[in-house]
Amino acid sequence: MPPVRLDHLETFALIVRSGGFRAAATDRGVSSSVMSQTMTTLEQALGLRLLNRTTRSIAPTEAGARLLDRLGPALDDIRLALVELDQLRETPSGTLRINAPGPAVDHVLCPLAFAFMETYPEVRVEIVSDAAIVDIVSQGFDAGVRFGRQLAEDMIAVPLGPPLRYAIVASPDYLRDRGRPETPGDLIGHNCIRRRYPGGALAAWAFAKEGDTVELVPEGRLTLSSAHQELQAALAGQGIAHVLEDYARAPIAEGRLVDLLTDWSPTLPSWFLYYPNRRHSSAAMRAFLDFVRRSAR
């Protein structure tokens, strides 16, 4: 069998994908007769008819359909290899869009993004703070951030930052007046600062110690919708707050808040950066992923 040219195989795939010689010829900027001659040469080289032609349409033969099934992924691999080689010469640029909950933005994503932008000055970063679960692909995001690894099967997840912990905190003044809880049950009767999610549900507080687990929805006079607000309320002596430790670390160190029930506070999974399991992503996204992995070392 005479050698088969790769560009002739690509032409065959283009003709089928375009629905005919004329559309494929327009795509390539050549005449229909050139496309027809290329197909004749390919079929002669293979010794098989690949296309059934009529005056109105074309359709692959059984041999053509089988070849196309194998040819499509192979041509995609070749194109991808060429794109990746070309992108080695690229300086990462463009806009990187990430969707993430507020706590991840505040304590992990923003510090990473600031350092990343110093390293890659031609990349613009847009971070949308959103606690809701969104379809990052349909909404035009390159990546998202979520707690733990409960993600769709077609997503890849990369750890983003250390494990997390919720802190139960109150001001020294509040504890002097109301006493210090030593167990989760002691929270009953205390003025707890509650969190209501955008969907309307109240946040539950979870505890664990030596195999025992407790979950409760606390009672209290004040209900808020963000960790920043809850922290301010606790600092003002309005009650006991349940916030990610990152928010409370500085006030605890300064003595303005007291860390309570520490032996009942379990370690939780880290945030995860997730992105679609697709074979091609922008140079900016690849650079950010490399930056995240280097930062985790």
Side-chain angles (χ1 to χ4, degrees):
M1 184 178 74
V4 175
R5 291 174 50 175
L6 178 61
D7 60 332
H8 287 185
L9 292 171
E10 192 173 15
T11 296
F12 163 60
L14 176 63
I15 290 168
V16 176
R17 187 170 64 247
S18 302
F21 289 91
R22 180 175 297 177
T26 300
D27 183 89
R28 285 289 174 82
V30 298
S31 67
S32 297
S33 61
V34 169
M35 304 299 280
S36 179
Q37 182 57 48
T38 298
M39 278 304 306
T40 298
T41 302
L42 176 61
E43 288 174 330
Q44 289 174 347
L46 294 172
L48 290 167
R49 177 173 289 277
L50 300 177
L51 293 174
N52 287 320
R53 306 167 174 84
T54 70
T55 55
R56 293 179 176 270
S57 64
I58 61 97
T61 63
E62 180 181 355
R66 289 189 181 186
L67 177 61
L68 199 61
D69 284 343
R70 301 294 296 273
L71 195 58
L75 289 173
D76 286 344
D77 282 341
I78 292 169
R79 292 190 195 99
L80 179 62
L82 294 175
V83 166
E84 289 177 344
L85 285 174
D86 186 61
Q87 288 175 341
L88 288 174
R89 297 191 296 269
E90 291 183 2
T91 299
S93 61
T95 300
L96 184 65
R97 300 187 72 235
I98 305 175
N99 180 284
V105 174
D106 291 340
H107 301 293
V108 180
L109 194 54
C110 270
L112 272 174
F114 299 158
F116 174 74
M117 292 169 71
E118 287 289 329
T119 305
Y120 297 97
E122 294 187 30
V123 177
R124 297 182 296 274
V125 177
E126 179 181 348
I127 298 173
V128 175
S129 180
D130 188 353
I133 302 296
V134 302
D135 183 338
I136 60 171
V137 175
S138 67
Q139 295 197 23
F141 291 100
D142 295 285
V145 177
R146 286 296 174 264
F147 178 69
R149 306 186 79 154
Q150 297 179 353
L151 304 170
E153 291 183 0
D154 59 346
M155 295 289 169
I156 298 173
V158 178
L160 193 67
L164 304 172
R165 170 183 170 265
Y166 272 98
I168 307 298
V169 296
S171 71
D173 289 343
Y174 174 87
L175 296 174
R176 266 193 302 271
D177 293 340
R178 301 293 299 272
R180 177 176 180 141
E182 300 295 340
T183 70
D186 293 341
L187 292 171
I188 298 172
H190 270 279
N191 195 24
C192 296
I193 300 163
R194 307 193 302 171
R195 163 87 64 89
R196 191 177 297 280
Y197 293 124
L202 287 167
W205 297 11
F207 304 92
K209 179 182 178 181
E210 297 175 355
D212 292 332
T213 59
V214 177
E215 185 172 292
L216 58 89
V217 176
E219 293 296 325
R221 296 174 58 204
L222 183 62
T223 301
L224 300 169
S225 61
S226 79
H228 289 290
Q229 297 164 357
E230 294 164 48
L231 188 66
Q232 291 306 308
L235 287 165
Q238 294 300 305
I240 298 176
H242 172 265
V243 295
L244 281 172
E245 185 181 26
D246 287 333
Y247 285 106
R249 187 173 283 113
I252 291 171
E254 295 162 359
R256 295 189 294 145
L257 289 177
V258 178
D259 197 357
L260 306 168
L261 303 177
T262 55
D263 55 342
W264 280 92
S265 299
T267 299
L268 305 172
S270 67
W271 296 109
F272 279 83
L273 180 78
Y274 69 98
Y275 58 98
N277 184 14
R278 56 193 178 198
R279 307 173 83 181
H280 172 62
S281 56
S282 69
M285 181 61 189
R286 292 198 310 277
F288 186 68
L289 289 172
D290 290 341
F291 190 84
V292 167
R293 294 185 177 106
R294 290 197 304 270
S295 300
R297 292 173 188 164

